[in-house]
Amino acid sequence: MGDGLPAAGEDAPARQAGVAVEAVFREERGLLLASLVRRFGDLDLAEEVTSEAIEAALRHWPAEGVPARPGAWLLTTARRRAVDRLRRDQAYAARLAVLRADAERAEPAPAPEAAGVGELPDDRLQLFFTCTHPALAAEDRTAITLRCLAGLTTPEVARAFLVPTATMAQRIVRAKKKIREARIPFRVPGPDELPERLPGVLQVVYSVFTEGYAASSGPRLQRLDLAEEAIRLARILHRLLPAERESAGLLALLLLFHARRGARTGPEGEPVLLEDQDRGRWDRPMIEEGRALAVRALTGGPAGPYGVQAAIAALHDEAADVAGTDWPQIVALYDVLLTLTPSPVVALNRAVAVAMRDGPEAGLALLDALAEEPRLREYAPYAVARGDLLSRLGRDGEAAEAYREALERAGTGPERAALRRKLGE
């Protein structure tokens, strides 16, 4: 072409290869990494050779074409790189042999080819429980789960939680070191251990979503990329543990909340209250999927915390408006939730529901009874809820004082802007 630009389609193989690698990275990286950890027993080695395999794909696929099973191609390439590395470093290989022997004594590993020729064995559940082992600090569990299972880079994880990249890198290194030195087994807990360990796994995914749904600080109210990664992780967990009703409950809860994402902020990123949201912008297919999962979570035994929260979210999503919401049923569900997971935040949410059922005075009395709770003293939503109820009662001076307290505690720019508007009114 005379203008010196490449002809249309000239870079198509490179673009196709790039798209294919990106798809594999997002959808199969966890599979690949988990398979390599199980085979070689070392998370650092697995990450290094996974990166090398992806780099090799970017070099070879544009010229040779994308293979029929790109994930299997990457797995084979990564295994070869790992074997080469261990041949060169016999001391490293000896250390890994000890780790693998410990793991096999704990629970014999399946044959690497158990999934069938050309397919990646799905070892992600083992990786979930490794990354969320109770021996790791809570912040380290979240960091390494995002790094290894969600596939975020270290700078991306750091940005998600608004800490310097160096700080997040230290957390991830610390977690890997703990896994290696404590010889944390790469396995799924047995039936006797699972009830104790599963809540920790679910909590990590829920924490990731919470930060995405309502950011603790920064310029945006929502971090949709982070929320969507949490949903992807929840889907994997539910697929790997289909009989666990709380994994269904967690996925249901995340979907039912995320379905409102398009209506939760205004044109300038400002928060839009539930009562003011355009429910026509809610994601109805996502709501239907979440409702079906919530039913599954509540069927066949006593309800768990995530199933109960999903039921509350479903009642909100089913209602045509705030006035038509089944507030008595929501209050009853919060009563159940308080028995399962008693906490000041649950009590706060119940008080708001009581205010909707019985009037602002009833809700305000419950909020005032929580005033001495340490966890609520710096919690902006508590002060906002008090301000809203005081405003509804016409106690404008007290409402303004509550909004000022909330303004001091609010973490994001949009929240602070909304509170300034309330004070201006």
Side-chain angles (χ1 to χ4, degrees):
M1 297 176 65
D3 57 7
L5 296 174
E10 193 171 315
D11 289 333
R15 285 197 299 272
Q16 183 184 13
V19 169
V21 170
E22 176 66 18
V24 170
F25 182 80
R26 285 297 180 194
E27 296 301 322
E28 298 192 63
R29 182 183 182 279
L31 280 169
L32 178 61
L33 192 65
S35 179
L36 292 165
V37 172
R38 175 177 54 75
R39 181 168 181 123
F40 298 104
D42 186 82
L43 190 51
D44 276 327
L45 176 64
E47 280 202 296
E48 288 171 10
V49 296
T50 294
S51 296
E52 290 176 8
I54 290 171
E55 290 172 6
L58 288 171
R59 289 195 305 271
H60 290 283
W61 291 3
E64 301 171 6
V66 178
R69 294 189 179 93
W73 188 98
L74 288 171
L75 178 60
T76 300
T77 302
R79 282 177 177 172
R80 289 172 179 164
R81 298 295 176 96
V83 170
D84 290 344
R85 183 82 54 86
L86 295 176
R87 282 174 178 162
R88 292 195 304 269
D89 190 339
Q90 292 298 313
Y92 189 25
R95 288 197 302 273
L96 293 191
V98 172
L99 292 174
R100 288 188 65 193
D102 286 346
E104 287 169 5
R105 278 196 296 270
E107 181 175 308
E113 286 74 29
V117 177
E119 295 180 10
L120 277 73
D122 198 335
D123 297 309
R124 286 174 297 184
L125 195 56
Q126 288 94 319
L127 191 54
F128 261 112
F129 281 97
T130 301
C131 291
T132 57
H133 195 279
L136 301 176
E139 61 184 14
D140 296 351
R141 289 178 221 160
T142 303
I144 199 168
T145 299
L146 283 172
R147 179 74 187 90
C148 295
L149 281 156
L152 273 64
T153 65
T154 300
E156 285 174 333
V157 180
R159 282 198 300 273
F161 290 94
L162 300 170
V163 299
T165 298
T167 300
M168 187 55 68
Q170 288 172 356
R171 288 183 188 175
I172 293 170
V173 168
R174 183 171 63 207
K176 290 178 181 177
K177 183 179 180 182
K178 182 70 174 182
I179 289 170
R180 183 171 57 251
E181 293 183 349
R183 297 185 180 179
I184 291 173
F186 180 74
R187 66 180 180 87
V188 178
D192 56 329
E193 300 173 273
L194 195 60
E196 181 181 358
R197 291 283 306 281
L198 183 59
V201 175
L202 300 176
Q203 179 61 48
V204 166
V205 178
Y206 181 68
S207 297
V208 173
F209 179 82
T210 300
E211 183 62 28
Y213 180 80
S216 57
S217 57
R220 290 176 289 172
L221 184 71
Q222 303 183 92
R223 280 287 316 275
L224 296 181
D225 56 340
L226 206 56
E228 285 162 6
E229 283 297 341
I231 289 172
R232 195 172 69 84
L233 292 175
R235 286 192 187 281
I236 293 170
L237 266 178
H238 178 55
R239 191 159 58 245
L240 296 174
L241 291 169
E244 291 294 331
R245 291 185 299 118
E246 274 291 81
S247 69
L250 175 65
L251 179 55
L253 176 63
L254 304 195
L255 292 173
L256 290 163
F257 271 112
H258 197 58
R260 309 174 201 157
R261 64 195 179 281
R264 291 187 61 233
T265 56
E268 304 300 321
E270 71 276 14
V272 178
L273 298 177
L274 186 66
E275 62 197 58
D276 298 324
Q277 288 176 21
D278 177 359
R279 299 186 178 215
R281 298 181 63 194
W282 289 2
D283 188 331
R284 289 295 158 186
M286 188 172 282
I287 289 172
E288 291 307 312
E289 183 185 2
R291 288 177 63 194
L293 285 162
V295 170
R296 193 178 310 170
L298 297 171
T299 303
Y306 292 112
V308 174
Q309 290 179 78
I312 293 170
L315 287 171
H316 283 295
D317 288 4
E318 292 166 3
D321 52 34
V322 168
T325 302
D326 190 346
W327 293 108
Q329 182 65 13
I330 288 176
V331 172
L333 287 167
Y334 273 123
D335 289 339
V336 174
L337 190 59
L338 273 173
T339 65
L340 295 172
T341 54
S343 82
V345 174
V346 174
L348 162 61
N349 291 329
R350 180 184 179 276
V352 173
V354 168
M356 299 303 296
R357 183 190 66 179
D358 301 336
E361 285 187 359
L364 185 61
L366 293 173
L367 288 181
D368 287 344
L370 298 170
E372 299 305 314
E373 286 286 350
R375 285 178 58 188
L376 298 182
R377 286 177 185 166
E378 299 301 319
Y379 189 56
Y382 173 75
V384 172
R386 285 196 75 251
D388 289 345
L389 295 184
L390 288 164
S391 179
R392 286 170 58 187
L393 290 168
R395 294 159 62 176
D396 292 343
E398 294 171 88
E401 182 57 34
Y403 289 141
R404 289 189 193 97
E405 291 177 10
L407 185 58
E408 292 175 1
R409 303 168 188 173
T412 67
E415 288 176 292
R416 289 192 290 272
L419 287 164
R420 290 190 190 99
R421 282 194 297 273
K422 284 179 180 285
L423 282 167
E425 292 167 2

